[in-house]
């Protein structure tokens, strides 16, 4: 991205000494001049040890098939169409002979409803996850199964792939007539990622909880965590772990898993389902379209948090659904039950081993408390009034019994808009301790909003930035997030906690992008974003040292671009499009009486002229953009009539259209016809500029008028002003923050240069006495660089710089994040 270059006459230039990392600029045009001034005598805000953390949600197969080390998929034969329309109880299994899944009184446990009935001489084979079951030569794998056979039987258990045997087959004698657990251990003779586990029975038998675990789990825990994934989390040194969601927490039924609820599968995540012996835990339909076994549950989350030295931060349902469902549960008895469940959760975490729930924790192997200090109620509720009424009841009950627990609220699913404003006002009025904000925006938004928290009330509720990411896993995304994070640190008196989201993605089961850590069944790799997060988490410091830097002036050029029409999972008709210049000249007039030859179709869907209207007729198509006009247009009025014909949403009218990835559009009746917003797309990534609640009626023609003047846009719906905005914030490519590490006595100068030119920078440490040598860590790569299983394009490079003084010059590489650790004398 080209930027205005500033010439400050800084004198001598010092370049990064890491050999070959950053070549000297070939031309003066490749260097931009900046200045950083530090005030070491001033006292900035203190930064808590828990500033940065991680958020774990079971999305993208993050738990089963991911962090949970179990290698057998559908080990308890509980898969159902309730989880995914393509599922059967034998998904991931193949049968040789006769076998059927049974749900009757002969089951292993009440909440483990299904089991396998295997006929004599028959076998079943499990395909695992991804390409199969992964084993490493020489490593041990523990097989276990719950089995029952009235006649007694021998189970033959084997591991193989298409090339043959992967371990010596084992035999298990089923010696008891009732259910019993049997175990054997395999030692892999070859490495394979396409293994299959086969269990054959000599006599008729019932099987459940067919399991294969690597012996080498994280910290050697049984029912443990996949080692490489847990180690990547631990390497971040996060201050907290937020779990279990996310949409898992506040979607689906709030009923329990019992006969009274009809064994409701589509439930919100409820912690009591997830503790105790694994064979007795419930199952659930995961919101993201697969089965959730709960082998990885609350006890394991608490253990992980403890093992990596992080604060546990659980999230519980508030009985207002979100993530597109948007329903408030009206059931006082159910609300009281969930409030009591939350109090029981605190007792499970912190209560003595003599208490009811503390005893259950002790029975699971942890008599000492987990020292829970924070708990969050709800997640991204889009009904702020209904949510807050319930939140206050949770908070009152928790504070009455556990006054030391900090109860966290939230501000809905977006960074701005009516829901956000209403939620924040409710939180302020009630003097809530902390409010969770979530947003996923374009890289440009992160560059433009470094100052987001500068104006927040220092005495109001603190901020927990529980979910955020720019829209991608390239280094450009990491750079813009790093630039934003310097603003989080500068405002550490307001932003107390922050976690990128989501944490994990199995490359073969992706529901959401971007993600921090990617993996398959045999390997894992750090995204560029991970490397940014790790650099910040491992170099936080204890206190901000106030500093200033050269900035970029506000944008002056007008918004330019053509106009467009679009739909999203909806059919709509458009008519009477008029674009008029500010001086009254007609730029475009189209009533579609002569077809639609002026329009170019660049998106999906099916467009045609019908009865003198331009109609998009595919009700399932998304992002169906058609555009017309000149990309150089500016200062104009766009008028159009739009009518929703059928579908989930309303219609979209675009302006400032440069190409398929760069435009503005007014999304009227979006988000399942619950709100309208203006979104800006930059290089394909969208962010919301203004939003309001509202819906559109099917069959009604709406008059839409968009007035573009300079960088100000005013929007009218049926002749009434709907809203306006001014898009004049620069996407500042050069950001910095300075912190002090009290343990080492170092100043940590953190600089982000998110542009294609190096940043030659004059650094003034304000009279601080410092050593001449700095320790340097640099992330530098091409903006589009992406880490993968086979390539690590973005990785930290460590070096030293010997030119430090009270005033010195340093050139920060193009497209880089650089941390200088400078020891004070």
């Amino acid at each position: 991205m080209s930027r205005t270059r500033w010439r400050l006459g800084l004198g001598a230039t010092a370049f990064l000494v890491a050999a070959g990392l950053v070549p000297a600029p070939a031309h003066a045009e490749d260097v931009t001049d900046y200045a950083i001034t530090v005030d070491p005598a001033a006292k900035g805000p203190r930064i808590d040890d828990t500033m940065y953390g991680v958020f774990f949600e079971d999305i993208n197969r993050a738990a089963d098939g991911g962090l949970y080390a179990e290698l057998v998929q559908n080990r308890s034969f509980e898969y159902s169409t309730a989880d995914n329309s393509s599922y059967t109880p034998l998904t991931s299994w193949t049968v040789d002979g006769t076998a059927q899944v049974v749900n009757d009184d002969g089951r292993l446990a009440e909440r483990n409803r299904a089991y396998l009935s295997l006929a004599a001489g028959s076998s079943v084979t499990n395909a695992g996850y991804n390409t199969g079951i992964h084993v490493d030569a020489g490593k041990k794998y523990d097989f276990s199964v719950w089995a029952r056979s009235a006649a007694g039987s021998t189970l033959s258990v084997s591991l193989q792939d298409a090339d043959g045997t992967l371990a010596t087959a084992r035999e298990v004698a089923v010696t008891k007539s009732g259910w019993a657990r049997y175990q054997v251990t395999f030692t892999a003779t070859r490495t394979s990622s396409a293994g299959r586990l086969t269990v054959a029975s000599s006599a008729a038998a019932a099987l459940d909880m067919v399991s294969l675990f690597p012996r080498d789990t994280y910290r050697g825990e049984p029912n443990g965590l996949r080692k490489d994934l847990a180690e990547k989390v631990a390497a971040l040194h996060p201050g907290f772990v937020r779990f279990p969601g996310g949409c898992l927490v506040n979607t689906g039924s709030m009923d329990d898993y019992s006969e009274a609820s009809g064994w409701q599968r589509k439930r919100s995540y409820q912690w009591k389902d997830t503790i105790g012996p694994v064979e007795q835990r419930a199952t659930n339909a995961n919101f993201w379209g697969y089965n959730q076994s709960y082998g990885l549950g609350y006890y394991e989350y608490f253990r992980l948090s403890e093992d990596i030295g992080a604060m546990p931060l659980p999230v519980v349902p508030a009985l207002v659904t979100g993530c597109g469902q948007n329903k408030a549960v009206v059931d006082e008895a159910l609300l009281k039950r969930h409030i009591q469940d939350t109090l029981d959760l605190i007792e499970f975490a912190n209560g003595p081993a003599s208490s009811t729930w503390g005893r259950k924790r002790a029975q699971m192997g942890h008599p000492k408390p987990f020292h829970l200090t924070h708990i969050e109620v709800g997640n991204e509720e889009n009904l702020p009034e209904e949510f807050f009424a319930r939140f206050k009841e949770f908070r009152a009950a928790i504070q009455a019994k556990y006054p030391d627990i900090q109860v966290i609220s939230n501000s809905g699913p977006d960074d701005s808009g009516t829901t956000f404003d209403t939620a924040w006002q409710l939180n302020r009025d009630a003097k809530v301790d902390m409010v969770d904000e979530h947003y996923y925006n374009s890289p440009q938004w992160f560059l433009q909003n470094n100052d987001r928290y500068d104006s927040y009330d220092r005495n109001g509720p603190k901020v927990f930035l529980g979910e955020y990411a720019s829209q991608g896993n390239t280094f450009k995304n990491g750079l813009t997030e790093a630039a934003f994070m310097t603003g989080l640190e500068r405002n550490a008196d307001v932003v107390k906690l922050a976690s990128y989201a989501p944490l994990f993605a199995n490359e073969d089961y992706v529901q959401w992008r971007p993600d921090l850590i990617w993996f398959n069944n045999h390997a894992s790799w750090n995204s560029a974003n991970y490397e940014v997060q790790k650099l910040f988490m491992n170099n936080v410091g204890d206190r901000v040292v106030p500093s200033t830097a050269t900035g970029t002036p506000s944008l002056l050029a007008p918004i330019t671009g053509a106009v467009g029409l679009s739909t999203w999972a909806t059919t709509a008709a458009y008519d009477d499009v008029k674009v008029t210049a500010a001086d009254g000249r007609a730029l475009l007039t189209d009533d579609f009486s002569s077809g639609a030859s002026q329009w170019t179709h660049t998106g999906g869907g099916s467009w045609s002229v019908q009865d003198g209207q331009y109609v998009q007729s595919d009700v399932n198509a998304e992002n169906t953009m058609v555009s017309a006009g000149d990309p150089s247009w500016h200062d104009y009025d766009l008028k159009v009539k739009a009518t929703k014909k059928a579908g989930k949403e309303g219609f979209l009218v675009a302006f400032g259209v440069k190409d398929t990835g760069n435009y503005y559009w007014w999304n009227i009746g979006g988000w399942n016809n619950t709100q309208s917003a203006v979104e800006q797309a930059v290089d394909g990534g969208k962010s919301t500029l203004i939003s309001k609640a509202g819906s559109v009626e099917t069959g009604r023609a709406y008059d839409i008028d968009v007035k573009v003047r300079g960088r100000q846009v005013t929007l009218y719906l049926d002749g009434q002003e709907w809203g306006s905005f001014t898009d004049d914030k620069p996407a500042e490519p050069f950001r910095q923050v300075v912190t002090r590490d009290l343990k080492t006595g170092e100043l940590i100068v953190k600089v982000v240069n998110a542009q294609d030119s190096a940043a030659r920078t004059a650094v003034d440490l304000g009279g601080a006495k410092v050593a001449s040598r700095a320790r340097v860590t640099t992330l530098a790569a091409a903006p589009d660089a992406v880490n993968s299983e086979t390539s690590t394009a973005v990785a930290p490079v460590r070096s030293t710089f010997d030119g430090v003084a009270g005033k010195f010059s340093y050139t920060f590489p193009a497209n880089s994040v650089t941390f200088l650790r400078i020891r004070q004398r």
Side-chain angles (χ1 to χ4, degrees):
M1 183 182 296
S2 62
R3 308 298 309 167
T4 303
R5 296 183 171 88
W6 298 90
R7 300 293 177 213
L8 302 181
L10 298 178
T13 301
F15 293 96
L16 188 66
V17 299
L21 177 66
V22 183
H27 304 91
E29 289 76 20
D30 296 327
V31 180
T32 305
D33 287 339
Y34 290 93
I36 296 173
T37 303
V38 184
D39 186 357
K43 185 176 287 188
R46 189 173 70 85
I47 307 175
D48 294 342
D49 292 340
T50 53
M51 172 77 182
Y52 295 120
V54 294
F55 164 49
F56 181 93
E57 179 174 9
D58 188 359
I59 184 174
N60 309 313
R61 286 283 189 186
D64 296 328
L67 184 61
Y68 187 46
E70 174 65 76
L71 298 174
V72 175
Q73 184 175 176
N74 190 18
R75 67 180 178 184
S76 192
F77 309 100
E78 296 287 347
Y79 277 30
S80 163
T81 52
D83 310 321
N84 187 296
S85 61
S86 67
Y87 280 2
T88 75
L90 284 170
T91 291
S92 198
W93 294 93
T94 55
V95 177
D96 185 0
T98 302
Q100 63 177 333
V101 175
V102 180
N103 183 342
D104 63 17
D105 291 342
R107 63 181 62 88
L108 173 60
E110 184 184 39
R111 287 152 69 82
N112 186 347
R113 306 291 292 167
Y115 64 94
L116 184 73
S117 176
L118 188 63
S122 299
S123 66
V124 287
T125 298
N126 191 266
Y129 297 93
N130 301 94
T131 55
I133 292 171
H134 176 78
V135 295
D136 288 306
K139 294 288 185 71
K140 294 184 181 298
Y141 296 84
D142 293 323
F143 168 85
S144 66
V145 63
W146 283 81
R148 183 189 68 205
S149 177
S153 66
T154 298
L155 301 180
S156 299
V157 190
S158 59
L159 271 170
Q160 66 284 324
D161 64 9
D163 295 327
T165 300
L166 292 171
T168 302
R170 304 297 302 273
E171 291 195 347
V172 177
V174 179
T175 58
K176 299 180 180 179
S177 58
W179 286 105
R181 186 170 183 259
Y182 301 91
Q183 303 176 71
V184 294
T185 298
F186 291 99
T187 300
T189 56
R190 289 191 294 114
T191 295
S192 175
S193 295
R196 300 291 187 267
L197 175 75
T198 297
V199 182
S201 181
S202 62
L207 306 179
D208 206 346
M209 299 298 290
V210 182
S211 173
L212 187 69
F213 260 87
R215 179 75 58 86
D216 190 20
T217 58
Y218 182 62
R219 297 174 69 93
E221 296 286 347
N223 194 55
L225 306 181
R226 180 169 149 175
K227 188 175 182 179
D228 62 325
L229 297 182
E231 286 178 344
K232 289 186 183 300
V233 178
L236 293 169
H237 295 109
F240 65 88
V241 179
R242 178 180 183 250
F243 62 89
C247 289
L248 302 185
V249 167
N250 68 337
T251 55
S253 167
M254 300 293 166
D255 292 330
D256 61 2
Y257 191 54
S258 67
E259 185 175 8
S261 71
W263 305 104
Q264 172 61 252
R265 288 288 288 263
K266 294 189 174 183
R267 309 184 311 284
S268 65
Y269 196 111
Q270 299 172 44
W271 77 272
K272 289 179 180 178
D273 288 342
T274 76
I275 65 167
V278 290
E279 69 274 8
Q280 296 178 17
R281 297 184 189 181
T283 188
N284 203 1
N286 182 292
F287 172 80
W288 298 107
Y290 52 89
N291 178 268
Q292 194 166 21
S293 77
Y294 291 140
L296 176 59
Y298 256 75
Y299 178 77
E300 290 75 27
Y301 289 130
F302 278 125
R303 284 296 303 269
L304 172 63
S305 301
E306 181 180 67
D307 288 344
I308 64 178
M311 177 182 78
L313 204 166
V315 187
V316 298
L319 275 74
V320 177
T321 61
C323 302
Q325 296 186 353
N326 300 333
K327 295 179 181 178
V329 177
V330 182
D331 186 329
E332 192 63 28
L334 194 57
L335 176 61
K336 290 185 183 302
R337 194 267 288 176
H338 276 269
I339 291 172
Q340 185 59 51
D341 282 353
T342 302
L343 298 175
D344 293 345
L345 171 60
I346 298 170
E347 183 176 284
F348 176 77
N350 293 351
S354 59
S355 65
T356 300
W357 291 98
R359 184 179 302 112
K360 291 186 180 295
R361 181 195 68 239
Q363 290 169 348
M364 294 184 73
H366 202 282
K368 294 182 179 180
F370 284 118
H371 306 296
L372 177 68
T373 59
H374 294 63
I375 195 164
E376 183 173 356
V377 177
N379 170 77
E380 293 189 7
E381 282 73 26
N382 211 20
L383 301 173
E385 300 278 359
E386 293 86 342
F387 160 73
F388 207 75
R390 290 154 181 78
F391 171 84
K392 288 192 294 185
E393 294 197 48
F394 276 87
R395 185 177 67 162
I398 294 168
Q399 289 182 338
K401 189 168 184 178
Y402 300 105
D404 294 334
I405 296 290
Q406 190 165 123
V407 186
I408 301 172
S409 180
N410 76 81
S411 58
D414 300 307
D415 62 90
S416 61
T418 304
T419 295
F420 179 87
D421 293 340
T422 301
W424 256 105
Q425 190 60 53
L426 291 167
N427 284 307
R428 277 191 292 266
D429 292 345
K431 294 180 169 55
V432 168
D433 290 333
M434 191 177 294
V435 178
D436 187 1
E437 294 188 355
H438 295 178
Y439 37 82
Y440 299 91
N441 287 324
S442 68
Q444 174 158 310
W445 186 94
F446 283 92
L447 291 179
Q448 289 177 316
N449 285 275
N450 175 275
D451 63 348
R452 177 179 176 87
Y453 297 106
D454 291 0
S455 59
Y456 272 49
D457 183 357
R458 297 354 244 181
N459 299 313
K462 303 305 180 185
V463 171
F464 171 23
L465 182 48
E467 297 183 31
Y468 74 99
S470 74
Q471 294 157 342
N473 275 140
T474 69
F475 187 48
K476 176 182 179 181
N477 298 103
L479 281 172
T480 62
E481 289 155 5
F484 188 73
M485 292 169 77
T486 65
L488 301 182
E489 290 192 8
R490 187 177 63 253
N491 290 285
D493 56 331
V494 169
V495 183
K496 307 304 288 185
L497 307 168
S499 50
Y500 179 102
L503 182 59
F504 286 120
N506 185 320
E507 67 173 351
D508 292 333
Y509 309 93
V510 179
Q511 288 90 30
W512 183 275
R513 299 171 187 268
D515 304 286
L516 204 63
I517 300 169
W518 288 78
F519 65 93
N520 51 37
N521 67 351
H522 62 274
S524 58
W525 54 97
N526 305 331
S527 67
N529 319 66
Y530 175 98
E531 295 298 348
V532 166
Q533 292 290 324
K534 184 178 179 182
L535 185 58
F536 274 83
M537 288 193 200
N538 284 274
N539 296 275
V540 180
D542 301 282
R543 188 176 287 278
V544 175
V545 181
S547 59
T548 58
T550 307
T552 300
S554 296
L555 299 174
L556 300 176
I559 292 173
T560 60
V563 298
L565 310 171
S566 190
T567 60
W568 201 284
T570 303
T571 63
Y574 293 92
D575 204 355
D576 296 333
V577 179
K578 296 179 182 179
V579 182
T580 308
D583 61 8
R585 289 179 297 112
L587 301 177
L588 172 71
T589 301
D590 202 338
D591 63 4
F592 303 106
S593 58
S594 301
S597 60
Q598 299 183 78
W599 297 83
T600 301
H601 185 190
T602 56
S606 177
W607 289 87
S608 62
V609 175
Q610 300 176 19
D611 299 325
Q613 296 179 313
Y614 201 19
V615 178
Q616 198 293 112
S617 56
D618 185 345
V619 74
N620 297 311
E622 300 177 347
N623 199 15
T624 66
M625 179 84 81
V626 292
S627 60
D630 190 328
S632 67
W633 281 352
H634 61 87
D635 295 290
Y636 57 76
D637 291 359
L638 164 62
K639 293 185 177 182
V640 60
K641 288 186 182 293
T643 306
K644 172 183 175 177
K645 296 173 73 69
K648 297 178 181 178
E649 306 207 345
F651 28 76
L652 303 106
V653 175
F655 52 96
V657 179
K658 290 181 169 55
D659 52 46
T660 57
N662 295 274
Y663 54 85
Y664 302 80
W665 68 18
W666 187 5
N667 187 349
I668 304 172
W671 294 270
N672 289 322
N673 204 16
T674 61
Q675 62 178 309
S676 299
V678 176
E679 298 177 281
Q680 181 183 17
V682 178
D683 295 335
K686 288 198 290 288
S687 55
T688 300
L689 302 182
I690 180 174
S691 68
K692 294 182 179 182
S695 60
V696 301
E697 301 173 22
T698 301
R700 174 185 163 188
Y702 289 83
D703 289 318
I704 297 164
D705 184 1
V706 180
K707 294 185 182 301
V708 182
R709 295 292 184 273
R711 300 203 68 82
Q712 183 173 3
V713 178
T714 308
L715 307 111
Y716 298 85
L717 191 62
D718 286 339
Q720 300 296 314
E721 183 174 335
W722 177 87
S724 65
F725 67 92
T726 302
D727 180 24
D728 62 354
K729 293 184 72 172
E732 173 60 64
F734 186 84
R735 295 291 188 184
Q736 58 78 39
V737 70
V738 180
T739 64
R740 179 179 284 115
D741 188 330
L742 297 179
K743 299 181 184 67
T744 65
E746 292 173 308
L747 293 175
I748 312 173
V749 179
K750 312 174 186 184
V751 177
V752 181
N753 182 27
Q755 59 187 334
D756 292 333
S757 58
R760 184 170 52 203
T761 306
V763 182
D764 184 347
L765 295 179
K769 304 298 183 183
V770 294
S772 61
R773 172 173 290 186
R775 293 187 291 146
V776 184
T777 305
T778 304
L779 292 171
D784 60 354
V786 177
N787 288 349
S788 68
E789 180 183 352
T790 57
S791 172
T792 307
V794 182
V797 173
R798 293 174 179 84
S799 60
T800 58
F801 173 67
D802 292 325
V804 179
K807 295 182 178 180
F808 66 98
S809 186
Y810 193 94
T811 297
F812 296 95
N815 300 305
S816 68
V817 184
T818 306
F819 281 25
L820 301 170
R821 296 190 70 113
I822 302 170
R823 183 169 55 83
Q824 290 185 273
R825 291 177 177 172

